[in-house]
Amino acid sequence: GENVEQHPSTLSVQEGDSAVIKCTYSDSASNYFPWYKQELGKGPQLIIDIRSNVGEKKDQRIAVTLNKTAKHFSLHITETQPEDSAVYFCAARALSGGGADGLTFGKGTHLIIQP
Amino acid sequence: EAQVTQNPRYLITVTGKKLTVTCSQNMNHEYMSWYRQDPGLGLRQIYYSMNVEVTDKGDVPEGYKVSRKEKRNFPLILESPSPNQTSLYFCATSLAGAVFSYNEQFFGPGTRLTVL
């Protein structure tokens, strides 16, 4: 089945700086890569996603890049703000494993924005 | 307001005492799923349901049961809880669960369970 590795597990950046979280996946058949943000005491919420036929997608301060050849994708947050502090999960969808919708999650990155 | 609700939000129980965590959604979604979240392990799927009366095992189903008698509800049942089931549990729903679909998963607020 699919295996998703996420790094780093904790990331601390100064407010206003950029943050990058990286994920790798194992199944070349995966075609959908969502990113979820989990704020303290809440459930994860989708913030951006990318499909395998696209190399990059941007939504205001956040962007996701995908390298299918290397099987890795990254989340980029620019001009970080205090409200960006949260746990971020990447996920990949494959044909096998992870339930009928095939989502396999990374272990999460705790992003800390220092004032 | 579209939402996924879970009850209870917090529960402390003892080994062997049967419990049920409820999940309800008002979005008319076909697909529902249960995850557990543990430090350093991320989100792992326990069970999922493609539609009413259709359920299947996820990655970590041991010790859990589910049922899907109505479209809006998907309860998680622990017949004989053990301390290793102490965790944070999330219910999630999406419009449909077909492979290669791009439907967003909506998560509930979570249930923190402690088994003593």
Side-chain angles (χ1 to χ4, degrees), chain A:
Chain A
E2 175 68 281
N3 182 49
V4 177
E5 298 283 342
Q6 182 172 348
H7 300 279
S9 57
T10 303
L11 177 61
S12 181
V13 301
Q14 289 293 125
E15 183 178 348
D17 289 349
S18 295
V20 181
I21 302 170
K22 300 181 180 182
C23 289
T24 61
Y25 61 98
S26 61
D27 192 337
S28 56
S30 289
N31 70 336
Y32 175 61
F33 307 91
W35 285 88
Y36 285 82
K37 176 184 180 182
Q38 184 181 21
E39 297 177 340
L40 195 62
K42 298 183 178 180
Q45 185 172 12
L46 180 72
I47 55 170
I48 195 168
D49 56 18
I50 191 168
R51 304 180 187 185
S52 58
N53 59 347
V54 176
E56 183 174 359
K57 184 176 178 181
K58 192 173 182 180
D59 183 3
Q60 297 182 18
R61 295 187 298 107
I62 61 173
V64 57
T65 59
L66 172 65
N67 183 327
K68 286 181 61 179
T69 303
K71 287 190 281 188
H72 68 69
F73 56 112
S74 300
L75 178 71
H76 304 253
I77 306 174
T78 58
E79 300 172 17
T80 53
Q81 300 171 5
E83 54 264 36
D84 295 329
S85 293
V87 177
Y88 291 80
F89 292 98
C90 63
R93 170 164 292 154
L95 280 172
S96 59
D101 71 346
L103 270 183
T104 300
F105 286 87
K107 290 180 170 48
T109 296
H110 186 194
L111 176 61
I112 301 165
I113 308 301
Q114 302 279 6

Side-chain angles (χ1 to χ4, degrees), chain B residues 51-105:
Chain B
N51 213 326
V52 177
E53 301 293 1
V54 180
T55 64
D56 209 343
K57 296 177 181 179
D59 297 321
V60 289
E62 293 77 22
Y64 305 94
K65 285 176 57 177
V66 293
S67 69
R68 187 87 181 276
K69 293 182 169 49
E70 315 168 87
K71 197 171 188 179
R72 64 180 291 129
N73 295 322
F74 189 45
L76 179 70
I77 304 158
L78 284 71
E79 294 271 5
S80 183
S82 62
N84 65 11
Q85 292 178 297
T86 292
S87 187
L88 180 57
Y89 292 86
F90 288 101
C91 178
T93 77
S94 65
L95 189 59
V99 176
F100 289 126
S101 70
Y102 302 110
N103 298 303
E104 175 182 355
Q105 283 206 46

